Amino acid sequence: MASAIGVVGRFRGEFEALGGRVHIARTRDDAIESVGKLLSGRVRSVHASRGLMPPLAERLRKFGIEVLDDSRPDDYSEPGTGITEAQYAVASAGCIVEIADEEATRLASAATLLHVAILDSANIIENLAGLAPIIRRSLGVSGRKPVITLISGPSRTSDIELKDVVGVHGPNEVHVVVYGDTL
Amino acid sequence: MNDDYRHLMERIRLALNDGARISALSRAVKRGRDARKAQFSRMENPSAFVSEIRTLKTGAVAHMDDLVRTFSERAADNGCSVHVAKNADDVVSYISGLASRSGAKLLSKSKSLTTEEIELNRRLEEKGLEVVETDLGERIIQLAGEKPFHLVFPAIHRSQESISELFTDKFGYPVPDSLEGIMAAIRKELRPVFFSTGIGINGANIAVAETGTVVIETNEGNDRLVNSLPDVQVVVVGMEKIVPAWEDAIRLFNAHPLSATGTQLTNYVSMISNRLDIGGKEREMHVVILDNGRSAMSRDADFSEALNCIRCGACMNICPTYGVVGGHTFGHIYPGPIGIPWTEEIHGLDRAKFAHLCISCGLCQTVCPAGIDIPLMIAKVKQKDVEANGQLFVNRFMCSMERISRYLSATAPLSNWVVGNRVSRLVEDRLLGVERTRALPTYTRRTFTKRFRPDEAGAKERLVYFPDMFANYVKPEIGLRTVDMLRAAGASVVSPRELKPSGAPFFLYGELARATKVALHNVSVLHKLVSLGYEVISTEPTATYSLREIYPKLLGRSAESMDVSAHTYELFEYMALKHPGAKPVKAGEKERVRLGFHIPCHQRPLSSGRYSVAALESAGYDVSVIETGTCCGMAGTFGLKKGPLGAELSRAVAKPLLELFNEHEDLQGIATESSVCTMQLGEGVHVPVMHPVELLSPG
Ligand code: SF4
Ligand code: SF4
């Protein structure tokens, strides 16, 4: 699937141009393994979105990393590390799309210093126009609607003399591990 | 001169005296300008992009009431409390009510110009609440007790050193003068604030009626903490920001950063429909939709277009005078070009005196992603001010320049001596307000009108030449050579004596009734000829711009004005389109071959000079377009006026452009088509400045 490879490459190029890092894995399992390798020796514990939990917690334990069980906003008061799933990404804009059902997921990518997301390569769309149906579908659920966030690399500012700095209130380092058959 | 003017002049002078601030600002605006330009030049069809945004926003503003209704219903279905607030008091009592109900004393806020508009922080503080801005730039100006200097970079006027001093003073411990030091301090200070506030207040960039969702854009990610951690979240959104569908919202959250900073997206784009669960606690979301004059504005045909603004800041990045004095002088709360109509409409005419800083260069409109006709709205604000508070004497004098020119030319050369001798210059300076160090044009008795002989309408190709003031009274050679060039191409040329100069000063000084009268007159003279198959040619960009762009606006796009507009050309544009084979040759001194080309602002919406450059190049000149991307600052008669609202500001605007020209030491001359740019450049460069027509002869 040449076009899919093209789309991953394009996403990678754009996301890295914005200061993010992209890693490639074969399967979802490999992706989780890569997360462990990436963090091994660097962090002792992580926040993670619930959807990733059982396999993630088990796998990370192997690397000596504990997945925290967070239930209150205050659990995030110390800036740590967050692992989430990026449901989609947009190649042309170099952003990941986080569709969060719980505040814990948002905080894992917002209140941390280091954020790692895993992403199925089949869910990388070409351009921003493709977002409309995705947003509509996500918000079409009955009951509580998810919060959708487009994230284009680390938190940044140029408020001081126009000098670019990363890591203001959010992560200064963002990694995306892309996996999937389409690679 | 009334106090408001005096106050404005004082502010300008203060701004002009702060060299460090001017250079910080000019770096900031240039970066924004260049980034936007790079993005737009990569676009396949930038004008389609602009017209899409324009159509989308115009439609949304036209249906504002319906959109408020739909959005409110959907947001309520999502579980939000929606409140439509009439004015500032209404918002303040709503939020302070929430605070007293929830017991919150500390409120955190993420960047929101809409809440600045109503001075929400000050008003909540008066009620005993503490509000902390969490965007770095906003926090800096909040601690300093200032207003935003720029829409996108609110604290751009402050140096790193002054920020470290400010933080040291306010935080009570030494904050080093380094980026890392400042960032560490702000993180340390704000982290606990995020986690201890009871109410988070966010501005929203867009609200989407379809699903009752708000869209919030930030680069720092502070909004995400403000809207996730506190138990109560309040989103304040301007009524004009609601769009019908997600397709619209996507276009806007893409257009906004493209035009502001040249990126595809703001770093974080959050789409929030309700609170999410954490710890099983019920948490509230309130959406306050602010009217504060917007409904009235949407019904005002003169100003409703201002509601199309997507707050990208591009207009302030290109505005020549804003780029020197900045938002504390060129702004009340809303800064920059679009700040003028917004201030007049929201905060009142009294606060909008800074409208007179606009020199009607027209550039803001050329970069606005929503294609807003900002210059026309500004001219209307000036008109309101002139009607309510009177016109400056010097502006009245400048508005009679045409009559004066006629008189001076009729009595030349004696008049040139009388006007130009040292004693007279002193008197003119003191009494009339004409800056005495400016070289004045030398008038000729043998005007173009006197020397020109019209052709019989025999030829198939019939043209009207519109000389405007300069080519008539000062340098008739430009007009005569133009006519030669057109005749050599086989056309017959007329130039009716009853044509009046373009009337640009009337537009500049807010005398719109007089501007409209001139427009009506010239259009009716020209339309008679256009309907006989004539095309209109001018060599003065301001005149071509007036005929093509300004007259139709002033005349409500009447059929006649649109017709004349469609048949008006710049000289070299006409030659390139109709006579691509005609090859003018180099005139005069053969060795003068290395030319710099200056694009006058009024030529930018026309050809940007590309046909003139091509003609010069094909005649063998080596031409480089040299530009800062903004104006030379002369702006018709503006730069001739004495003082801060004239020559002083005009020269400060010119400085970087003149430096750029002077850096090109190999230039042997400068070509530009505008007579006023010629004066400004002529004063600051060491090579002759000429009209391209003076450099060429018919082939
Ligand atoms: S017309 Fe020119 S001077 Fe006036 S506001 Fe726009 S950019 Fe500034
Ligand atoms: S008026 Fe146009 S250019 Fe200026 S901030 Fe608004 S949208 Fe941007």
PDB file of all heavy atoms in Angstrom, chain B residues 315 318-322 330 336-338 340 355 357-365 374-375 378 382, ligand 1:
ATOM      1  N   CYS B 315      -3.186  41.853  10.102  1.00  0.00           N
ATOM      2  CA  CYS B 315      -3.298  43.271   9.733  1.00  0.00           C
ATOM      3  C   CYS B 315      -2.330  44.118  10.543  1.00  0.00           C
ATOM      4  O   CYS B 315      -1.782  45.093  10.042  1.00  0.00           O
ATOM      5  CB  CYS B 315      -4.740  43.771   9.874  1.00  0.00           C
ATOM      6  SG  CYS B 315      -5.489  43.517  11.485  1.00  0.00           S
ATOM      7  N   ILE B 318       1.351  43.979   9.264  1.00  0.00           N
ATOM      8  CA  ILE B 318       1.725  44.691   8.033  1.00  0.00           C
ATOM      9  C   ILE B 318       1.509  46.195   8.156  1.00  0.00           C
ATOM     10  O   ILE B 318       2.051  46.976   7.375  1.00  0.00           O
ATOM     11  CB  ILE B 318       0.963  44.125   6.813  1.00  0.00           C
ATOM     12  CG1 ILE B 318       1.743  44.454   5.531  1.00  0.00           C
ATOM     13  CG2 ILE B 318      -0.470  44.672   6.722  1.00  0.00           C
ATOM     14  CD1 ILE B 318       1.396  43.617   4.345  1.00  0.00           C
ATOM     15  N   CYS B 319       0.755  46.638   9.145  1.00  0.00           N
ATOM     16  CA  CYS B 319       0.421  48.066   9.235  1.00  0.00           C
ATOM     17  C   CYS B 319       1.679  48.890   9.547  1.00  0.00           C
ATOM     18  O   CYS B 319       2.337  48.674  10.561  1.00  0.00           O
ATOM     19  CB  CYS B 319      -0.621  48.285  10.325  1.00  0.00           C
ATOM     20  SG  CYS B 319      -0.975  50.032  10.564  1.00  0.00           S
ATOM     21  N   PRO B 320       2.018  49.828   8.667  1.00  0.00           N
ATOM     22  CA  PRO B 320       3.276  50.555   8.836  1.00  0.00           C
ATOM     23  C   PRO B 320       3.355  51.379  10.116  1.00  0.00           C
ATOM     24  O   PRO B 320       4.403  51.410  10.761  1.00  0.00           O
ATOM     25  CB  PRO B 320       3.330  51.469   7.604  1.00  0.00           C
ATOM     26  CG  PRO B 320       1.949  51.511   7.050  1.00  0.00           C
ATOM     27  CD  PRO B 320       1.308  50.210   7.438  1.00  0.00           C
ATOM     28  N   THR B 321       2.289  52.018  10.502  1.00  0.00           N
ATOM     29  CA  THR B 321       2.379  52.888  11.674  1.00  0.00           C
ATOM     30  C   THR B 321       2.223  52.080  12.971  1.00  0.00           C
ATOM     31  O   THR B 321       2.906  52.339  13.948  1.00  0.00           O
ATOM     32  CB  THR B 321       1.332  54.013  11.604  1.00  0.00           C
ATOM     33  OG1 THR B 321       0.075  53.454  11.234  1.00  0.00           O
ATOM     34  CG2 THR B 321       1.716  55.044  10.571  1.00  0.00           C
ATOM     35  N   TYR B 322       1.358  51.057  12.945  1.00  0.00           N
ATOM     36  CA  TYR B 322       1.284  50.164  14.100  1.00  0.00           C
ATOM     37  C   TYR B 322       2.668  49.564  14.364  1.00  0.00           C
ATOM     38  O   TYR B 322       3.113  49.457  15.503  1.00  0.00           O
ATOM     39  CB  TYR B 322       0.259  49.035  13.878  1.00  0.00           C
ATOM     40  CG  TYR B 322       0.341  47.982  14.954  1.00  0.00           C
ATOM     41  CD1 TYR B 322      -0.373  48.133  16.130  1.00  0.00           C
ATOM     42  CD2 TYR B 322       1.198  46.896  14.821  1.00  0.00           C
ATOM     43  CE1 TYR B 322      -0.240  47.205  17.150  1.00  0.00           C
ATOM     44  CE2 TYR B 322       1.347  45.970  15.830  1.00  0.00           C
ATOM     45  CZ  TYR B 322       0.618  46.124  16.996  1.00  0.00           C
ATOM     46  OH  TYR B 322       0.773  45.216  18.006  1.00  0.00           O
ATOM     47  N   PHE B 330      -1.405  52.537  19.283  1.00  0.00           N
ATOM     48  CA  PHE B 330      -2.291  52.188  18.168  1.00  0.00           C
ATOM     49  C   PHE B 330      -3.277  51.153  18.693  1.00  0.00           C
ATOM     50  O   PHE B 330      -3.231  49.990  18.313  1.00  0.00           O
ATOM     51  CB  PHE B 330      -1.475  51.619  17.015  1.00  0.00           C
ATOM     52  CG  PHE B 330      -2.156  51.649  15.669  1.00  0.00           C
ATOM     53  CD1 PHE B 330      -1.495  52.189  14.560  1.00  0.00           C
ATOM     54  CD2 PHE B 330      -3.427  51.155  15.477  1.00  0.00           C
ATOM     55  CE1 PHE B 330      -2.106  52.222  13.310  1.00  0.00           C
ATOM     56  CE2 PHE B 330      -4.043  51.183  14.249  1.00  0.00           C
ATOM     57  CZ  PHE B 330      -3.379  51.719  13.163  1.00  0.00           C
ATOM     58  N   GLY B 336      -4.294  47.682  16.764  1.00  0.00           N
ATOM     59  CA  GLY B 336      -4.051  47.520  15.335  1.00  0.00           C
ATOM     60  C   GLY B 336      -5.191  47.978  14.459  1.00  0.00           C
ATOM     61  O   GLY B 336      -6.191  48.523  14.936  1.00  0.00           O
ATOM     62  N   PRO B 337      -5.035  47.751  13.153  1.00  0.00           N
ATOM     63  CA  PRO B 337      -6.030  48.224  12.189  1.00  0.00           C
ATOM     64  C   PRO B 337      -7.470  47.829  12.531  1.00  0.00           C
ATOM     65  O   PRO B 337      -8.344  48.681  12.667  1.00  0.00           O
ATOM     66  CB  PRO B 337      -5.575  47.560  10.889  1.00  0.00           C
ATOM     67  CG  PRO B 337      -4.096  47.450  11.035  1.00  0.00           C
ATOM     68  CD  PRO B 337      -3.860  47.147  12.478  1.00  0.00           C
ATOM     69  N   ILE B 338      -7.691  46.527  12.744  1.00  0.00           N
ATOM     70  CA  ILE B 338      -9.068  46.093  13.012  1.00  0.00           C
ATOM     71  C   ILE B 338      -9.514  46.582  14.385  1.00  0.00           C
ATOM     72  O   ILE B 338     -10.710  46.673  14.674  1.00  0.00           O
ATOM     73  CB  ILE B 338      -9.196  44.548  12.884  1.00  0.00           C
ATOM     74  CG1 ILE B 338     -10.656  44.113  12.885  1.00  0.00           C
ATOM     75  CG2 ILE B 338      -8.441  43.833  14.001  1.00  0.00           C
ATOM     76  CD1 ILE B 338     -11.480  44.577  11.714  1.00  0.00           C
ATOM     77  N   ILE B 340      -9.452  49.521  15.285  1.00  0.00           N
ATOM     78  CA  ILE B 340     -10.089  50.837  15.132  1.00  0.00           C
ATOM     79  C   ILE B 340     -11.615  50.700  15.051  1.00  0.00           C
ATOM     80  O   ILE B 340     -12.320  51.245  15.895  1.00  0.00           O
ATOM     81  CB  ILE B 340      -9.494  51.612  13.936  1.00  0.00           C
ATOM     82  CG1 ILE B 340      -8.009  51.899  14.191  1.00  0.00           C
ATOM     83  CG2 ILE B 340     -10.257  52.919  13.694  1.00  0.00           C
ATOM     84  CD1 ILE B 340      -7.249  52.468  13.006  1.00  0.00           C
ATOM     85  N   ALA B 355      -7.504  56.160  15.446  1.00  0.00           N
ATOM     86  CA  ALA B 355      -7.827  55.950  14.024  1.00  0.00           C
ATOM     87  C   ALA B 355      -6.968  56.838  13.134  1.00  0.00           C
ATOM     88  O   ALA B 355      -6.623  56.463  12.011  1.00  0.00           O
ATOM     89  CB  ALA B 355      -9.298  56.262  13.777  1.00  0.00           C
ATOM     90  N   LEU B 357      -4.001  57.391  13.263  1.00  0.00           N
ATOM     91  CA  LEU B 357      -2.693  56.818  12.975  1.00  0.00           C
ATOM     92  C   LEU B 357      -2.700  56.043  11.667  1.00  0.00           C
ATOM     93  O   LEU B 357      -1.655  55.677  11.144  1.00  0.00           O
ATOM     94  CB  LEU B 357      -2.287  55.878  14.106  1.00  0.00           C
ATOM     95  CG  LEU B 357      -1.663  56.549  15.324  1.00  0.00           C
ATOM     96  CD1 LEU B 357      -1.694  55.606  16.504  1.00  0.00           C
ATOM     97  CD2 LEU B 357      -0.230  56.953  15.011  1.00  0.00           C
ATOM     98  N   CYS B 358      -3.888  55.759  11.176  1.00  0.00           N
ATOM     99  CA  CYS B 358      -3.988  55.032   9.910  1.00  0.00           C
ATOM    100  C   CYS B 358      -3.666  55.979   8.772  1.00  0.00           C
ATOM    101  O   CYS B 358      -4.235  57.059   8.673  1.00  0.00           O
ATOM    102  CB  CYS B 358      -5.389  54.463   9.732  1.00  0.00           C
ATOM    103  SG  CYS B 358      -5.735  53.989   8.023  1.00  0.00           S
ATOM    104  N   ILE B 359      -2.733  55.559   7.908  1.00  0.00           N
ATOM    105  CA  ILE B 359      -2.336  56.430   6.799  1.00  0.00           C
ATOM    106  C   ILE B 359      -2.922  55.942   5.465  1.00  0.00           C
ATOM    107  O   ILE B 359      -2.421  56.286   4.394  1.00  0.00           O
ATOM    108  CB  ILE B 359      -0.799  56.574   6.720  1.00  0.00           C
ATOM    109  CG1 ILE B 359      -0.122  55.202   6.633  1.00  0.00           C
ATOM    110  CG2 ILE B 359      -0.278  57.348   7.935  1.00  0.00           C
ATOM    111  CD1 ILE B 359       1.391  55.268   6.447  1.00  0.00           C
ATOM    112  N   SER B 360      -3.968  55.129   5.552  1.00  0.00           N
ATOM    113  CA  SER B 360      -4.714  54.690   4.364  1.00  0.00           C
ATOM    114  C   SER B 360      -3.847  54.045   3.287  1.00  0.00           C
ATOM    115  O   SER B 360      -4.074  54.245   2.104  1.00  0.00           O
ATOM    116  CB  SER B 360      -5.489  55.855   3.748  1.00  0.00           C
ATOM    117  OG  SER B 360      -6.421  56.357   4.663  1.00  0.00           O
ATOM    118  N   CYS B 361      -2.879  53.254   3.722  1.00  0.00           N
ATOM    119  CA  CYS B 361      -2.044  52.580   2.729  1.00  0.00           C
ATOM    120  C   CYS B 361      -2.791  51.402   2.111  1.00  0.00           C
ATOM    121  O   CYS B 361      -2.418  50.919   1.044  1.00  0.00           O
ATOM    122  CB  CYS B 361      -0.748  52.095   3.371  1.00  0.00           C
ATOM    123  SG  CYS B 361      -0.998  50.735   4.515  1.00  0.00           S
ATOM    124  N   GLY B 362      -3.801  50.900   2.804  1.00  0.00           N
ATOM    125  CA  GLY B 362      -4.612  49.812   2.258  1.00  0.00           C
ATOM    126  C   GLY B 362      -4.017  48.428   2.442  1.00  0.00           C
ATOM    127  O   GLY B 362      -4.610  47.423   2.047  1.00  0.00           O
ATOM    128  N   LEU B 363      -2.823  48.334   3.049  1.00  0.00           N
ATOM    129  CA  LEU B 363      -2.153  47.030   3.120  1.00  0.00           C
ATOM    130  C   LEU B 363      -2.904  46.021   3.986  1.00  0.00           C
ATOM    131  O   LEU B 363      -2.900  44.829   3.695  1.00  0.00           O
ATOM    132  CB  LEU B 363      -0.730  47.193   3.670  1.00  0.00           C
ATOM    133  CG  LEU B 363       0.262  47.919   2.759  1.00  0.00           C
ATOM    134  CD1 LEU B 363       1.606  48.064   3.452  1.00  0.00           C
ATOM    135  CD2 LEU B 363       0.436  47.160   1.442  1.00  0.00           C
ATOM    136  N   CYS B 364      -3.547  46.495   5.054  1.00  0.00           N
ATOM    137  CA  CYS B 364      -4.194  45.548   5.963  1.00  0.00           C
ATOM    138  C   CYS B 364      -5.211  44.685   5.218  1.00  0.00           C
ATOM    139  O   CYS B 364      -5.305  43.489   5.455  1.00  0.00           O
ATOM    140  CB  CYS B 364      -4.831  46.261   7.154  1.00  0.00           C
ATOM    141  SG  CYS B 364      -5.810  47.704   6.741  1.00  0.00           S
ATOM    142  N   GLN B 365      -5.941  45.326   4.328  1.00  0.00           N
ATOM    143  CA  GLN B 365      -6.942  44.547   3.595  1.00  0.00           C
ATOM    144  C   GLN B 365      -6.293  43.473   2.720  1.00  0.00           C
ATOM    145  O   GLN B 365      -6.850  42.401   2.529  1.00  0.00           O
ATOM    146  CB  GLN B 365      -7.797  45.475   2.735  1.00  0.00           C
ATOM    147  CG  GLN B 365      -8.945  44.728   2.077  1.00  0.00           C
ATOM    148  CD  GLN B 365      -9.833  45.613   1.227  1.00  0.00           C
ATOM    149  OE1 GLN B 365      -9.535  46.789   1.007  1.00  0.00           O
ATOM    150  NE2 GLN B 365     -10.921  45.057   0.736  1.00  0.00           N
ATOM    151  N   ILE B 374     -10.918  46.745   5.905  1.00  0.00           N
ATOM    152  CA  ILE B 374     -10.581  47.508   7.118  1.00  0.00           C
ATOM    153  C   ILE B 374     -10.383  48.992   6.785  1.00  0.00           C
ATOM    154  O   ILE B 374     -10.893  49.852   7.495  1.00  0.00           O
ATOM    155  CB  ILE B 374      -9.333  46.910   7.826  1.00  0.00           C
ATOM    156  CG1 ILE B 374      -9.422  45.380   7.858  1.00  0.00           C
ATOM    157  CG2 ILE B 374      -9.183  47.460   9.234  1.00  0.00           C
ATOM    158  CD1 ILE B 374      -8.141  44.690   8.251  1.00  0.00           C
ATOM    159  N   PRO B 375      -9.654  49.319   5.689  1.00  0.00           N
ATOM    160  CA  PRO B 375      -9.411  50.747   5.420  1.00  0.00           C
ATOM    161  C   PRO B 375     -10.694  51.570   5.280  1.00  0.00           C
ATOM    162  O   PRO B 375     -10.748  52.704   5.745  1.00  0.00           O
ATOM    163  CB  PRO B 375      -8.632  50.734   4.097  1.00  0.00           C
ATOM    164  CG  PRO B 375      -7.995  49.394   4.033  1.00  0.00           C
ATOM    165  CD  PRO B 375      -8.928  48.453   4.731  1.00  0.00           C
ATOM    166  N   ILE B 378     -12.153  52.165   8.674  1.00  0.00           N
ATOM    167  CA  ILE B 378     -11.339  53.158   9.401  1.00  0.00           C
ATOM    168  C   ILE B 378     -11.670  54.562   8.901  1.00  0.00           C
ATOM    169  O   ILE B 378     -11.824  55.498   9.695  1.00  0.00           O
ATOM    170  CB  ILE B 378      -9.833  52.859   9.238  1.00  0.00           C
ATOM    171  CG1 ILE B 378      -9.491  51.530   9.897  1.00  0.00           C
ATOM    172  CG2 ILE B 378      -8.994  53.994   9.827  1.00  0.00           C
ATOM    173  CD1 ILE B 378      -8.066  51.057   9.676  1.00  0.00           C
ATOM    174  N   LYS B 382     -12.877  57.725  11.110  1.00  0.00           N
ATOM    175  CA  LYS B 382     -12.283  59.074  11.055  1.00  0.00           C
ATOM    176  C   LYS B 382     -13.362  60.099  10.730  1.00  0.00           C
ATOM    177  O   LYS B 382     -13.415  61.170  11.327  1.00  0.00           O
ATOM    178  CB  LYS B 382     -11.201  59.135   9.969  1.00  0.00           C
ATOM    179  CG  LYS B 382      -9.935  58.382  10.290  1.00  0.00           C
ATOM    180  CD  LYS B 382      -8.992  58.478   9.082  1.00  0.00           C
ATOM    181  CE  LYS B 382      -7.703  57.711   9.265  1.00  0.00           C
ATOM    182  NZ  LYS B 382      -6.936  57.621   8.007  1.00  0.00           N
TER     183      LYS B 382
HETATM  184  S1  SF4 C   1      -4.711  51.156   5.784  1.00  0.00           S
HETATM  185 FE1  SF4 C   1      -2.518  50.964   6.192  1.00  0.00          FE
HETATM  186  S2  SF4 C   1      -2.127  52.449   7.779  1.00  0.00           S
HETATM  187 FE2  SF4 C   1      -4.320  52.153   7.735  1.00  0.00          FE
HETATM  188  S3  SF4 C   1      -4.670  50.599   9.256  1.00  0.00           S
HETATM  189 FE3  SF4 C   1      -4.487  49.556   7.283  1.00  0.00          FE
HETATM  190  S4  SF4 C   1      -2.336  48.978   7.194  1.00  0.00           S
HETATM  191 FE4  SF4 C   1      -2.502  50.539   8.809  1.00  0.00          FE
END
